Amino acid sequence: MTTSNNLNDKTICITGASSGIGQAIAQHLGSSGAHVFMMGRNRSPMDESADLIRSAGGSADVATFDVADLEALSSWVASAAASTGRLDVMVNNAGFGDVGATIADGDPAMWKAMLETNVLALAVGCQAAIKAMRSTSSQGNIINISSVAALQRESGVYGATKHAVNCINSSLRKELQDEPIRVTSVMPGVFATNFTRNVDRTMVEGIAGMAGITELEFDDDSRLPQHQIDQIQQALAIGIGDVTHIANAVEYIILQPSELNIEEIVIRPQKSLLS
Ligand SMILES: NC(=O)c1ccc[n+]([C@@H]2O[C@H](COP(=O)([O-])OP(=O)(O)OC[C@H]3O[C@@H](n4cnc5c(N)ncnc54)[C@H](OP(=O)(O)O)[C@@H]3O)[C@@H](O)[C@H]2O)c1
């Protein structure tokens, strides 16, 4: 049994496609011929990606909701599969972290939100994808975006959520080994995204300073404009990765022969700047 060696017409759902890693995956796969379904809370970046995908000949749909709304998440996946008659790939990417925060002084409300987003929604996203893949007899990939924090024992509550992601991933791989559904955990190191929106500002300013940027243009939600993210990445490329490399890795995972399951990938820039 083999899988097709291109992305043409594959139906791909991606959570957290409005920024960073998820947006790069959506743009890359959509521009390579897949029909991508994007979701996030912030609509305009996804509309921009959808325009780019359509002008490259692909198809894109955009939905806006909080991934912690588990019913909305399940019905979004089911309707993507119902409208195209298939679900080839589910990328559970939406997530955030408070890297650098301590447990002693941390905020339990932040921990609750991290658990709901990074763990609970990811598990429900997996379950919804399995149902959709089974009901449409699709040969599928579930790709869970974890972190190198899952490789460390001292990575705090954020790391605990990513340890949980890897546990869910390995458990699912075993559960599904007699079905045509493959399961992969992608563990990135440091990549240039808006992940920094929940990270201590002094740390972000320090990194920007190393890239020669003295004034950061944060918006009201602590996001940075793409041109500053790119500027930091390009100046510090040896330690801060370019998200297009993660998108390439995801394409590689999807296009492997169906009898081959890439269970885990650790992908990071050459130098470990923070992790
Ligand atoms: N960047 C890194 O160095 C790095 C390293 C290891 C792992 N990761 C993981 O990579 C994934 C993507 O992060 P990123 O670095 O690309 O950060 P990012 O630029 O902040 O993107 C995060 C994405 O997740 C979405 N999201 C977060 N919470 C959500 C919620 N409750 N409901 C719906 N969407 C939500 C965001 O949507 P809105 O913007 O619309 O709110 C955004 O699209 C995360 O799981 C993160 O843990 C990142």
Side-chain angles (χ1 to χ4, degrees):
M1 192 168 50
T2 52
T3 193
S4 67
N5 65 350
N6 65 60
L7 296 167
N8 286 345
D9 302 324
K10 286 191 189 296
T11 297
I12 302 183
C13 286
I14 303 159
T15 67
S18 56
S19 178
I21 293 169
Q23 189 175 23
I25 294 170
Q27 275 183 210
H28 179 67
L29 302 183
S31 302
S32 306
H35 186 151
V36 294
F37 289 79
M38 296 181 272
M39 69 74 56
R41 291 168 299 191
N42 188 17
R43 187 164 187 112
S44 62
M46 293 190 286
D47 284 337
E48 284 168 27
S49 295
D51 287 344
L52 287 172
I53 290 166
R54 288 181 198 122
S55 61
S59 311
D61 282 77
V62 173
T64 315
F65 59 92
D66 190 316
V67 84
D69 179 345
L70 304 177
E71 276 180 29
L73 175 61
S74 296
S75 60
W76 171 69
V77 175
S79 69
S83 68
T84 59
R86 58 197 285 179
L87 180 63
D88 300 277
V89 183
M90 173 77 191
V91 183
N92 290 299
N93 164 75
F96 72 99
D98 60 351
V99 171
T102 63
I103 294 173
D105 296 316
D107 174 5
M110 170 76 97
W111 302 342
K112 185 168 186 280
M114 275 197 282
L115 286 161
E116 285 176 353
T117 307
N118 299 3
V119 182
L120 192 54
L122 179 134
V124 169
C126 290
Q127 190 181 62
I130 294 163
K131 281 186 189 157
M133 286 168 184
R134 282 177 176 165
S135 68
T136 56
S137 302
S138 298
Q139 195 171 269
N141 285 85
I142 296 173
I143 298 176
N144 294 314
I145 306 300
S146 179
S147 167
V148 291
L151 303 174
Q152 299 158 355
R153 287 171 64 89
E154 307 86 2
S155 48
V157 176
Y158 172 65
T161 70
K162 296 302 188 178
H163 278 272
V165 169
N166 280 10
C167 179
I168 290 166
N169 194 81
S170 296
S171 306
L172 260 188
R173 190 201 61 74
K174 200 164 180 204
E175 279 180 41
L176 297 173
Q177 61 189 341
D178 294 322
E179 296 185 52
I181 302 175
R182 298 173 293 171
V183 186
T184 306
S185 173
V186 175
M187 287 174 266
V190 176
F191 281 78
T193 69
N194 269 308
F195 186 84
T196 47
R197 66 179 109 168
N198 295 296
V199 173
D200 176 58
R201 221 172 241 204
T202 317
M203 190 196 287
V204 182
E205 284 165 350
I207 293 168
M210 289 183 333
I213 301 175
T214 49
E215 210 157 315
L216 286 168
E217 300 160 23
F218 290 107
D219 72 8
D220 293 345
D221 291 321
S222 297
R223 292 184 183 85
L224 287 171
Q226 194 59 44
H227 73 91
Q228 287 203 321
I229 293 175
D230 292 343
Q231 203 179 335
I232 293 169
Q233 193 279 318
Q234 282 153 21
L236 303 173
I238 196 154
I240 300 182
D242 174 343
V243 287
T244 60
H245 297 306
I246 300 182
N248 291 338
V250 168
E251 180 182 14
Y252 169 82
I253 292 162
I254 297 167
L255 295 184
Q256 293 311 299
S258 59
E259 62 271 23
L260 190 71
N261 190 116
I262 308 287
E263 183 175 355
E264 294 183 346
I265 284 195
V266 176
I267 178 167
R268 49 173 141 210
Q270 185 176 354
K271 189 174 165 70
S272 294
L273 202 65
L274 302 171
S275 54

PDB file of all heavy atoms in Angstrom, residues 2-34:
ATOM      1  N   THR A   2       0.653   2.138  -0.926  1.00  0.00           N
ATOM      2  CA  THR A   2       1.449   3.373  -0.966  1.00  0.00           C
ATOM      3  C   THR A   2       0.513   4.572  -0.965  1.00  0.00           C
ATOM      4  O   THR A   2      -0.676   4.454  -1.218  1.00  0.00           O
ATOM      5  CB  THR A   2       2.312   3.447  -2.242  1.00  0.00           C
ATOM      6  OG1 THR A   2       1.465   3.218  -3.347  1.00  0.00           O
ATOM      7  CG2 THR A   2       3.442   2.460  -2.232  1.00  0.00           C
ATOM      8  N   THR A   3       1.060   5.727  -0.683  1.00  0.00           N
ATOM      9  CA  THR A   3       0.247   6.931  -0.708  1.00  0.00           C
ATOM     10  C   THR A   3       0.644   7.741  -1.939  1.00  0.00           C
ATOM     11  O   THR A   3       1.728   7.556  -2.473  1.00  0.00           O
ATOM     12  CB  THR A   3       0.452   7.733   0.599  1.00  0.00           C
ATOM     13  OG1 THR A   3      -0.551   8.721   0.691  1.00  0.00           O
ATOM     14  CG2 THR A   3       1.806   8.377   0.662  1.00  0.00           C
ATOM     15  N   SER A   4      -0.248   8.647  -2.402  1.00  0.00           N
ATOM     16  CA  SER A   4       0.107   9.436  -3.579  1.00  0.00           C
ATOM     17  C   SER A   4       1.276  10.345  -3.226  1.00  0.00           C
ATOM     18  O   SER A   4       1.415  10.799  -2.096  1.00  0.00           O
ATOM     19  CB  SER A   4      -1.081  10.259  -4.049  1.00  0.00           C
ATOM     20  OG  SER A   4      -1.383  11.241  -3.100  1.00  0.00           O
ATOM     21  N   ASN A   5       2.163  10.584  -4.224  1.00  0.00           N
ATOM     22  CA  ASN A   5       3.375  11.328  -3.899  1.00  0.00           C
ATOM     23  C   ASN A   5       3.234  12.814  -4.174  1.00  0.00           C
ATOM     24  O   ASN A   5       4.208  13.499  -4.436  1.00  0.00           O
ATOM     25  CB  ASN A   5       4.578  10.736  -4.644  1.00  0.00           C
ATOM     26  CG  ASN A   5       4.432  10.906  -6.143  1.00  0.00           C
ATOM     27  OD1 ASN A   5       3.360  11.297  -6.603  1.00  0.00           O
ATOM     28  ND2 ASN A   5       5.481  10.620  -6.872  1.00  0.00           N
ATOM     29  N   ASN A   6       2.002  13.300  -4.099  1.00  0.00           N
ATOM     30  CA  ASN A   6       1.822  14.745  -4.171  1.00  0.00           C
ATOM     31  C   ASN A   6       0.633  15.152  -3.303  1.00  0.00           C
ATOM     32  O   ASN A   6      -0.086  14.306  -2.784  1.00  0.00           O
ATOM     33  CB  ASN A   6       1.660  15.204  -5.627  1.00  0.00           C
ATOM     34  CG  ASN A   6       0.410  14.652  -6.244  1.00  0.00           C
ATOM     35  OD1 ASN A   6      -0.682  14.902  -5.769  1.00  0.00           O
ATOM     36  ND2 ASN A   6       0.564  13.866  -7.313  1.00  0.00           N
ATOM     37  N   LEU A   7       0.468  16.450  -3.160  1.00  0.00           N
ATOM     38  CA  LEU A   7      -0.554  16.953  -2.230  1.00  0.00           C
ATOM     39  C   LEU A   7      -1.859  17.297  -2.928  1.00  0.00           C
ATOM     40  O   LEU A   7      -2.811  17.736  -2.279  1.00  0.00           O
ATOM     41  CB  LEU A   7      -0.007  18.215  -1.535  1.00  0.00           C
ATOM     42  CG  LEU A   7       1.214  17.974  -0.648  1.00  0.00           C
ATOM     43  CD1 LEU A   7       1.874  19.293  -0.276  1.00  0.00           C
ATOM     44  CD2 LEU A   7       0.810  17.230   0.620  1.00  0.00           C
ATOM     45  N   ASN A   8      -1.902  17.079  -4.243  1.00  0.00           N
ATOM     46  CA  ASN A   8      -3.059  17.529  -5.020  1.00  0.00           C
ATOM     47  C   ASN A   8      -4.373  17.034  -4.445  1.00  0.00           C
ATOM     48  O   ASN A   8      -4.568  15.840  -4.246  1.00  0.00           O
ATOM     49  CB  ASN A   8      -2.952  17.063  -6.476  1.00  0.00           C
ATOM     50  CG  ASN A   8      -1.920  17.882  -7.224  1.00  0.00           C
ATOM     51  OD1 ASN A   8      -1.511  18.940  -6.730  1.00  0.00           O
ATOM     52  ND2 ASN A   8      -1.490  17.406  -8.371  1.00  0.00           N
ATOM     53  N   ASP A   9      -5.269  17.998  -4.171  1.00  0.00           N
ATOM     54  CA  ASP A   9      -6.635  17.725  -3.723  1.00  0.00           C
ATOM     55  C   ASP A   9      -6.746  17.088  -2.345  1.00  0.00           C
ATOM     56  O   ASP A   9      -7.828  16.702  -1.932  1.00  0.00           O
ATOM     57  CB  ASP A   9      -7.392  16.863  -4.754  1.00  0.00           C
ATOM     58  CG  ASP A   9      -7.418  17.551  -6.111  1.00  0.00           C
ATOM     59  OD1 ASP A   9      -7.515  18.792  -6.138  1.00  0.00           O
ATOM     60  OD2 ASP A   9      -7.293  16.849  -7.134  1.00  0.00           O
ATOM     61  N   LYS A  10      -5.637  16.937  -1.643  1.00  0.00           N
ATOM     62  CA  LYS A  10      -5.757  16.396  -0.278  1.00  0.00           C
ATOM     63  C   LYS A  10      -6.483  17.419   0.593  1.00  0.00           C
ATOM     64  O   LYS A  10      -6.251  18.632   0.460  1.00  0.00           O
ATOM     65  CB  LYS A  10      -4.373  16.112   0.319  1.00  0.00           C
ATOM     66  CG  LYS A  10      -3.688  14.876  -0.260  1.00  0.00           C
ATOM     67  CD  LYS A  10      -2.462  14.508   0.562  1.00  0.00           C
ATOM     68  CE  LYS A  10      -1.612  13.419  -0.082  1.00  0.00           C
ATOM     69  NZ  LYS A  10      -2.258  12.127  -0.227  1.00  0.00           N
ATOM     70  N   THR A  11      -7.337  16.930   1.481  1.00  0.00           N
ATOM     71  CA  THR A  11      -8.018  17.813   2.435  1.00  0.00           C
ATOM     72  C   THR A  11      -7.201  17.853   3.726  1.00  0.00           C
ATOM     73  O   THR A  11      -6.919  16.811   4.317  1.00  0.00           O
ATOM     74  CB  THR A  11      -9.439  17.280   2.731  1.00  0.00           C
ATOM     75  OG1 THR A  11     -10.183  17.315   1.522  1.00  0.00           O
ATOM     76  CG2 THR A  11     -10.130  18.128   3.785  1.00  0.00           C
ATOM     77  N   ILE A  12      -6.823  19.066   4.112  1.00  0.00           N
ATOM     78  CA  ILE A  12      -5.916  19.227   5.258  1.00  0.00           C
ATOM     79  C   ILE A  12      -6.482  20.275   6.216  1.00  0.00           C
ATOM     80  O   ILE A  12      -6.728  21.416   5.818  1.00  0.00           O
ATOM     81  CB  ILE A  12      -4.505  19.643   4.774  1.00  0.00           C
ATOM     82  CG1 ILE A  12      -3.961  18.590   3.803  1.00  0.00           C
ATOM     83  CG2 ILE A  12      -3.565  19.871   5.960  1.00  0.00           C
ATOM     84  CD1 ILE A  12      -2.554  18.819   3.284  1.00  0.00           C
ATOM     85  N   CYS A  13      -6.717  19.888   7.463  1.00  0.00           N
ATOM     86  CA  CYS A  13      -7.172  20.835   8.497  1.00  0.00           C
ATOM     87  C   CYS A  13      -5.975  21.239   9.349  1.00  0.00           C
ATOM     88  O   CYS A  13      -5.188  20.378   9.771  1.00  0.00           O
ATOM     89  CB  CYS A  13      -8.200  20.176   9.411  1.00  0.00           C
ATOM     90  SG  CYS A  13      -9.817  19.964   8.655  1.00  0.00           S
ATOM     91  N   ILE A  14      -5.852  22.530   9.615  1.00  0.00           N
ATOM     92  CA  ILE A  14      -4.721  23.030  10.408  1.00  0.00           C
ATOM     93  C   ILE A  14      -5.261  23.988  11.472  1.00  0.00           C
ATOM     94  O   ILE A  14      -5.878  25.005  11.141  1.00  0.00           O
ATOM     95  CB  ILE A  14      -3.703  23.775   9.515  1.00  0.00           C
ATOM     96  CG1 ILE A  14      -3.222  22.848   8.410  1.00  0.00           C
ATOM     97  CG2 ILE A  14      -2.519  24.291  10.341  1.00  0.00           C
ATOM     98  CD1 ILE A  14      -2.635  23.570   7.223  1.00  0.00           C
ATOM     99  N   THR A  15      -5.025  23.656  12.733  1.00  0.00           N
ATOM    100  CA  THR A  15      -5.434  24.587  13.795  1.00  0.00           C
ATOM    101  C   THR A  15      -4.305  25.586  14.043  1.00  0.00           C
ATOM    102  O   THR A  15      -3.128  25.283  13.845  1.00  0.00           O
ATOM    103  CB  THR A  15      -5.769  23.843  15.109  1.00  0.00           C
ATOM    104  OG1 THR A  15      -4.579  23.260  15.639  1.00  0.00           O
ATOM    105  CG2 THR A  15      -6.821  22.768  14.900  1.00  0.00           C
ATOM    106  N   GLY A  16      -4.673  26.791  14.454  1.00  0.00           N
ATOM    107  CA  GLY A  16      -3.664  27.825  14.720  1.00  0.00           C
ATOM    108  C   GLY A  16      -2.947  28.240  13.455  1.00  0.00           C
ATOM    109  O   GLY A  16      -1.724  28.368  13.428  1.00  0.00           O
ATOM    110  N   ALA A  17      -3.738  28.487  12.398  1.00  0.00           N
ATOM    111  CA  ALA A  17      -3.140  28.806  11.087  1.00  0.00           C
ATOM    112  C   ALA A  17      -3.039  30.317  10.853  1.00  0.00           C
ATOM    113  O   ALA A  17      -2.726  30.739   9.754  1.00  0.00           O
ATOM    114  CB  ALA A  17      -3.962  28.149   9.981  1.00  0.00           C
ATOM    115  N   SER A  18      -3.267  31.098  11.903  1.00  0.00           N
ATOM    116  CA  SER A  18      -3.248  32.555  11.721  1.00  0.00           C
ATOM    117  C   SER A  18      -1.887  33.171  12.008  1.00  0.00           C
ATOM    118  O   SER A  18      -1.744  34.395  11.938  1.00  0.00           O
ATOM    119  CB  SER A  18      -4.301  33.196  12.633  1.00  0.00           C
ATOM    120  OG  SER A  18      -4.069  32.801  13.971  1.00  0.00           O
ATOM    121  N   SER A  19      -0.912  32.355  12.325  1.00  0.00           N
ATOM    122  CA  SER A  19       0.392  32.902  12.702  1.00  0.00           C
ATOM    123  C   SER A  19       1.438  31.790  12.666  1.00  0.00           C
ATOM    124  O   SER A  19       1.102  30.608  12.733  1.00  0.00           O
ATOM    125  CB  SER A  19       0.291  33.482  14.129  1.00  0.00           C
ATOM    126  OG  SER A  19       1.527  33.979  14.576  1.00  0.00           O
ATOM    127  N   GLY A  20       2.686  32.185  12.549  1.00  0.00           N
ATOM    128  CA  GLY A  20       3.817  31.300  12.802  1.00  0.00           C
ATOM    129  C   GLY A  20       3.819  29.971  12.058  1.00  0.00           C
ATOM    130  O   GLY A  20       3.643  29.897  10.836  1.00  0.00           O
ATOM    131  N   ILE A  21       4.016  28.909  12.831  1.00  0.00           N
ATOM    132  CA  ILE A  21       4.210  27.570  12.272  1.00  0.00           C
ATOM    133  C   ILE A  21       2.970  27.107  11.508  1.00  0.00           C
ATOM    134  O   ILE A  21       3.068  26.608  10.375  1.00  0.00           O
ATOM    135  CB  ILE A  21       4.565  26.580  13.419  1.00  0.00           C
ATOM    136  CG1 ILE A  21       5.951  26.937  13.993  1.00  0.00           C
ATOM    137  CG2 ILE A  21       4.524  25.139  12.937  1.00  0.00           C
ATOM    138  CD1 ILE A  21       6.309  26.210  15.287  1.00  0.00           C
ATOM    139  N   GLY A  22       1.791  27.282  12.103  1.00  0.00           N
ATOM    140  CA  GLY A  22       0.548  26.834  11.454  1.00  0.00           C
ATOM    141  C   GLY A  22       0.287  27.584  10.162  1.00  0.00           C
ATOM    142  O   GLY A  22      -0.136  26.988   9.154  1.00  0.00           O
ATOM    143  N   GLN A  23       0.552  28.874  10.169  1.00  0.00           N
ATOM    144  CA  GLN A  23       0.325  29.669   8.952  1.00  0.00           C
ATOM    145  C   GLN A  23       1.301  29.226   7.847  1.00  0.00           C
ATOM    146  O   GLN A  23       0.922  29.103   6.682  1.00  0.00           O
ATOM    147  CB  GLN A  23       0.509  31.162   9.262  1.00  0.00           C
ATOM    148  CG  GLN A  23       0.083  32.058   8.115  1.00  0.00           C
ATOM    149  CD  GLN A  23       0.142  33.546   8.474  1.00  0.00           C
ATOM    150  OE1 GLN A  23       0.874  33.944   9.394  1.00  0.00           O
ATOM    151  NE2 GLN A  23      -0.615  34.350   7.746  1.00  0.00           N
ATOM    152  N   ALA A  24       2.554  28.963   8.238  1.00  0.00           N
ATOM    153  CA  ALA A  24       3.545  28.519   7.240  1.00  0.00           C
ATOM    154  C   ALA A  24       3.158  27.161   6.659  1.00  0.00           C
ATOM    155  O   ALA A  24       3.267  26.934   5.444  1.00  0.00           O
ATOM    156  CB  ALA A  24       4.929  28.437   7.887  1.00  0.00           C
ATOM    157  N   ILE A  25       2.684  26.260   7.513  1.00  0.00           N
ATOM    158  CA  ILE A  25       2.264  24.928   7.024  1.00  0.00           C
ATOM    159  C   ILE A  25       1.089  25.091   6.058  1.00  0.00           C
ATOM    160  O   ILE A  25       1.068  24.503   4.968  1.00  0.00           O
ATOM    161  CB  ILE A  25       1.887  24.006   8.211  1.00  0.00           C
ATOM    162  CG1 ILE A  25       3.119  23.694   9.063  1.00  0.00           C
ATOM    163  CG2 ILE A  25       1.250  22.709   7.706  1.00  0.00           C
ATOM    164  CD1 ILE A  25       2.810  22.978  10.394  1.00  0.00           C
ATOM    165  N   ALA A  26       0.110  25.913   6.455  1.00  0.00           N
ATOM    166  CA  ALA A  26      -1.076  26.108   5.602  1.00  0.00           C
ATOM    167  C   ALA A  26      -0.675  26.686   4.248  1.00  0.00           C
ATOM    168  O   ALA A  26      -1.107  26.189   3.192  1.00  0.00           O
ATOM    169  CB  ALA A  26      -2.072  27.028   6.304  1.00  0.00           C
ATOM    170  N   GLN A  27       0.146  27.715   4.271  1.00  0.00           N
ATOM    171  CA  GLN A  27       0.535  28.355   3.004  1.00  0.00           C
ATOM    172  C   GLN A  27       1.315  27.399   2.112  1.00  0.00           C
ATOM    173  O   GLN A  27       1.094  27.337   0.905  1.00  0.00           O
ATOM    174  CB  GLN A  27       1.377  29.611   3.267  1.00  0.00           C
ATOM    175  CG  GLN A  27       0.508  30.808   3.525  1.00  0.00           C
ATOM    176  CD  GLN A  27       1.294  32.095   3.727  1.00  0.00           C
ATOM    177  OE1 GLN A  27       0.829  32.954   4.439  1.00  0.00           O
ATOM    178  NE2 GLN A  27       2.455  32.222   3.125  1.00  0.00           N
ATOM    179  N   HIS A  28       2.209  26.638   2.718  1.00  0.00           N
ATOM    180  CA  HIS A  28       3.035  25.729   1.915  1.00  0.00           C
ATOM    181  C   HIS A  28       2.195  24.604   1.305  1.00  0.00           C
ATOM    182  O   HIS A  28       2.265  24.345   0.097  1.00  0.00           O
ATOM    183  CB  HIS A  28       4.165  25.155   2.769  1.00  0.00           C
ATOM    184  CG  HIS A  28       5.041  24.202   2.017  1.00  0.00           C
ATOM    185  ND1 HIS A  28       5.866  24.590   0.987  1.00  0.00           N
ATOM    186  CD2 HIS A  28       5.185  22.856   2.104  1.00  0.00           C
ATOM    187  CE1 HIS A  28       6.488  23.531   0.482  1.00  0.00           C
ATOM    188  NE2 HIS A  28       6.096  22.468   1.142  1.00  0.00           N
ATOM    189  N   LEU A  29       1.374  23.954   2.141  1.00  0.00           N
ATOM    190  CA  LEU A  29       0.598  22.817   1.634  1.00  0.00           C
ATOM    191  C   LEU A  29      -0.487  23.287   0.673  1.00  0.00           C
ATOM    192  O   LEU A  29      -0.743  22.651  -0.360  1.00  0.00           O
ATOM    193  CB  LEU A  29      -0.004  22.021   2.799  1.00  0.00           C
ATOM    194  CG  LEU A  29       0.998  21.468   3.832  1.00  0.00           C
ATOM    195  CD1 LEU A  29       0.272  20.650   4.887  1.00  0.00           C
ATOM    196  CD2 LEU A  29       2.089  20.606   3.174  1.00  0.00           C
ATOM    197  N   GLY A  30      -1.116  24.425   0.993  1.00  0.00           N
ATOM    198  CA  GLY A  30      -2.165  24.962   0.120  1.00  0.00           C
ATOM    199  C   GLY A  30      -1.598  25.385  -1.223  1.00  0.00           C
ATOM    200  O   GLY A  30      -2.190  25.125  -2.280  1.00  0.00           O
ATOM    201  N   SER A  31      -0.431  26.005  -1.211  1.00  0.00           N
ATOM    202  CA  SER A  31       0.182  26.457  -2.468  1.00  0.00           C
ATOM    203  C   SER A  31       0.730  25.283  -3.277  1.00  0.00           C
ATOM    204  O   SER A  31       1.076  25.442  -4.442  1.00  0.00           O
ATOM    205  CB  SER A  31       1.324  27.442  -2.187  1.00  0.00           C
ATOM    206  OG  SER A  31       0.815  28.524  -1.462  1.00  0.00           O
ATOM    207  N   SER A  32       0.830  24.112  -2.631  1.00  0.00           N
ATOM    208  CA  SER A  32       1.312  22.916  -3.342  1.00  0.00           C
ATOM    209  C   SER A  32       0.154  22.044  -3.822  1.00  0.00           C
ATOM    210  O   SER A  32       0.365  20.885  -4.198  1.00  0.00           O
ATOM    211  CB  SER A  32       2.222  22.097  -2.423  1.00  0.00           C
ATOM    212  OG  SER A  32       3.248  22.890  -1.905  1.00  0.00           O
ATOM    213  N   GLY A  33      -1.077  22.553  -3.747  1.00  0.00           N
ATOM    214  CA  GLY A  33      -2.202  21.831  -4.358  1.00  0.00           C
ATOM    215  C   GLY A  33      -3.223  21.252  -3.410  1.00  0.00           C
ATOM    216  O   GLY A  33      -4.242  20.715  -3.851  1.00  0.00           O
ATOM    217  N   ALA A  34      -2.967  21.329  -2.099  1.00  0.00           N
ATOM    218  CA  ALA A  34      -3.939  20.777  -1.149  1.00  0.00           C
ATOM    219  C   ALA A  34      -5.093  21.750  -0.940  1.00  0.00           C
ATOM    220  O   ALA A  34      -4.977  22.946  -1.220  1.00  0.00           O
ATOM    221  CB  ALA A  34      -3.252  20.516   0.193  1.00  0.00           C
TER     222      ALA A  34
END
